[in-house]
Amino acid sequence: MATATMTVASAAAPTPTAPPTLGSPLYTDPSQSVEARVNDLLARMTLAEKIGQMTQVDRDSIAPDDITRLFIGSILSGGGEGPGTNTPAAWAAMVDGFQQRALQTRLRIPLIYGLDAVHGHNNVKGATIFPHNIGLGATRDPDLVQRIGRATAEEMIATGIPWDFAPVVAVPQDVRWGRTYEGYSENTALVTQLGAAFVRGLQGPALGGPFSVLATPKHFIGDGGTTFGSSTTPGYLLDQGDTRVDETALRALYLPPYRAAVAAGAQSIMVSFSSWQGTKMHARKDLLTGLLKGELGFSGFLVSDWAAINQLPGDEHAQVVASINAGIDLVMVPSDYKTFIAALTQAVQQGDVPQVRIDDAVRRILRAKFELGLFEHPLSDPANLAQVGSAAHRQLARQAVRESLVLLKNDQATLPLAKDTPLIFVAGQGADDIGLQSGGWTITWQGQVGNITPGTTILQGIKQAVSPQARVVYDALGTFDAVTTTAGVTATSGAVTADVGIVVLAEPPYAEGVGDLTSLALPASDLALADRVRARSRKLVVILLSGRPRLVTSALPKWDAFVAAWLPGTEGEGVADVLFGDAPFSGKLPYTWPRSDGQLPFDFAHLPAGGCAAPLFPFGYGLSAGDASPAQLDCPG
Ligand code: BGC
Ligand code: BGC
């Protein structure tokens, strides 16, 4: 054999050598109780093996051989990190490949692969993309949310991934936050109800049952309550900032969703990048160990956020000591894992992190791995691949879209539209763009404009919904200058008027602090687009695709109907279903809609109910198609 070939062969992924012989220690026996298995396994582990279990590395940083060599316990895909070819089968092969390395270690402890499937299995091309949580908040439908959890788990397990960094159970208090759409609502009770429903759906009746995925309510605690401008991250405003409320308010506003999620069986919780009263959550032993593990009796494990321990004061040693002693069990390192492992090893050897803390952390992680059945079923099953983007899941997503739409204005019963409306103009790039209707955390971390994954755009949905007599003309820029009448008359600008104009305005996709905003004003170009179509249409319907309320106060009087569609995901027909009356408008606002930037942040305890100081639309607002819109107030400014 030529030397060159040999070099290539040894550099490529090795064929797994036969795993070491274990005999049959108690922990490998599934008929034993989880606690007995954990105790047995823990007693066999070296410090290096324990620290490996506490280490989570991101997919793009791991040298595969290190999984075996350093006993790495967990790998994650950061937003958009996946196999070179983005197919469900390639995802399964990638995850199984990492798992094979873990199964070659002395004790053959399986690793746990995790990622953010926050609106469906959103990193995977071809997966069903459900509405972001803001839209699910509008549905007020816990049964629907539970079923979405189930469908998401089915798609994840198909690709060999048993751990989801979801649901976000933040209770966002300031809609300028770039993560507003990841939260169900500004209302604690609603977040509590829907977050627990998602946990139940994702995990199924019991961890380890068919298609059971470990849920991770996040980010503990108060991440939606940060003060504008308090972020410690350059360029961010609210995200990763400081929540400045007293303990009574912290508990009242932000704790109930965690209490409910723990009661629903959550076995992992992610800690927030943010601070409470100036101290980063990752160092808050009072809240992590005292409140969560102590008072709430949380028996699962705490995972840190992305490199978040490195936001603590001091050097790596100080950061590792502070965070592990505060109660973090599994560290999302995610890149420089050798430095982390060295620092934690030294900290234990020096007695700065007690051995009992390490044992407690590992015990919590192993418990979840046993409960999930990973020791018995560490690898994916190709028979499940058909779950990804299945017709049943897309139907469910379409239903979720229908239920999520909030009708905010509907003069002269403009909506629903007649299916035989002779001429319909559709404008706005958002009308025909899967990326825009899906938002951040879709295929990539920040999301992307364009048809980035299979789905149906709103325009396609409209075309499918109308009857053959109706004519639908799409012009992204809304000029419609090339339109001719049915009589064949070539129109000069302005000559042809549509019966209905539909303008879809869309926020560009964003995620996390990148989406923090100072002003919620819509770009002038969006307002101009609506004005252009206004001039060419007898009735104007405006649909907003956005991750939060945006200011429409001055433009609204010119629009006949206005619909908040949030970030509906891949099933755009759901929007058309409601526009054309195949399903009713039933969504209710999950967030209070501001009239102006000056109203933010809202003082929810003292919101005026009416007049110009009141919000434009209150929490819970949403018309049915038959309701008359209330008269718009004429307010100064
Ligand atoms: C986010 C988390 C996410 C993690 C992994 C962080 O930046 O705050 O919500 O789970 O990245 O992608
Ligand atoms: C990752 C995200 C992560 C973010 C944190 C990105 O590179 O893909 O998952 O949340 O970094 O800054």
Side-chain angles (χ1 to χ4, degrees), residues 78-79 306 441 445 512:
W306 184 276
W441 294 109
W445 177 41
E512 302 189 38

Side-chain angles (χ1 to χ4, degrees), residues 76-81 116 179 236 240 273 305-306 441 445 512:
L76 87 147
S77 279
E81 291 181 1
D116 307 275
R179 305 195 81 156
Y236 289 10
Q240 309 190 4
F273 272 122
D305 204 344
W306 184 276
W441 294 109
W445 177 41
E512 302 189 38

